[in-house]
Amino acid sequence: QTAPVLTLSPTSQSRCLNDSVTFKVSASGTQPITYQWQNTSGNLQGSVPMAYTTVGSASSVNTGTSYPTPYGNYYWGGKNQFIIRASELSAAGIGIGDIQSLAFDVVNANNCPSLVDFTIKIGFTSDSVLTSAWESGLTTVFNSSNYQPTVGWNTHAFQSAVSWNGTDNLIIETCFNNSSYLGSGNASINLTTTSYNSTHEYHADNATVCSVTSGGYLYAKRPVVKLLTGSETSNYYINA
């Protein structure tokens, strides 16, 4: 681990009475890094620090030939969309702000090989359940030309953070497309049961899995995920 080092320090500013002022600070080092603003009277309320939060509790595990799983080569390719309701994010303690990464918890890699063009997209929606229609308007946050899942938490750091407004539901899409399959080629992951269809999944032995616009299967369960939320830059806002 690397100790935090300030890379941006707050600077003194002068403002008139009733004007607002913003101070910023950021640091490098092993994440998550937390911040605490203080004045001569003690601690102040700052912005949301970076923190890891697990959403969902493990209630089942898929096999090397069953679904859903983001890492599944029992067929050539696999496309998944998972929805996490805003109420679930809030109940887990996640507040308004940035999402920096996500992780899936692999219990057994089985025969899962490297996954070609493994991509994660993120989006937000007012829809509260997934249907046979694929959610659109998502943003690519992670891509690996060949991703090899391993036992334990598989963390995918985003190319750039996405910002959650505290009210929309979160959509996570994963996809890859190999040109062959393996028996027991699905990595087994921890899944959490939901009371609604929280996964839309499609798998096939062809080269166009990620561009599919129809078809698939619905599940009332989805992967347990671990999210890194908050910001590397902490802001404090005060009115004079």
Side-chain angles (χ1 to χ4, degrees), residues 47-228:
S47 64
V48 179
M50 294 182 75
Y52 288 103
T53 304
T54 301
V55 182
S57 56
S59 56
S60 64
V61 176
N62 66 290
T63 69
T65 61
S66 68
Y67 294 86
T69 176
Y71 314 127
N73 186 230
Y74 187 56
Y75 283 76
W76 286 17
K79 179 178 180 178
N80 298 271
Q81 286 190 346
F82 312 115
I83 187 170
I84 303 177
R85 290 176 172 174
S87 58
E88 296 174 274
L89 295 173
S90 297
I94 296 174
I96 296 171
D98 291 342
I99 303 175
Q100 304 278 354
S101 72
L102 67 81
F104 300 112
D105 191 15
V106 174
V107 177
N108 192 329
N110 301 315
N111 289 333
C112 188
S114 293
L115 304 176
V116 175
D117 197 25
F118 182 77
T119 302
I120 299 176
K121 297 181 180 181
I122 295 291
F124 300 96
T125 181
S126 59
D127 296 337
S128 59
V129 300
L130 293 179
T131 67
S132 58
W134 294 95
E135 296 283 338
S136 59
L138 310 182
T139 300
T140 299
V141 295
F142 178 87
N143 177 263
S144 174
S145 58
N146 286 279
Y147 182 75
Q148 178 63 65
T150 58
V151 172
W153 285 106
N154 287 245
T155 299
H156 305 285
F158 294 171
Q159 299 164 0
S160 58
V162 294
S163 184
W164 180 52
N165 63 9
T167 57
D168 288 340
N169 302 313
L170 173 65
I171 298 291
I172 301 168
E173 178 180 296
T174 67
C175 198
F176 74 93
N177 214 153
N178 290 16
S179 57
S180 61
Y181 68 90
L182 289 175
S184 294
N186 289 358
S188 299
I189 65 167
N190 275 319
L191 301 167
T192 185
T193 301
T194 58
S195 60
Y196 59 93
N197 288 331
S198 54
T199 294
H200 183 192
E201 180 272 330
Y202 175 83
H203 54 265
D205 287 332
N206 61 52
T208 58
V209 169
C210 292
S211 59
V212 68
T213 58
S214 62
Y217 304 89
L218 297 172
Y219 300 84
K221 54 186 174 182
R222 63 164 188 262
V224 175
V225 299
K226 183 162 62 175
L227 301 175
L228 176 60

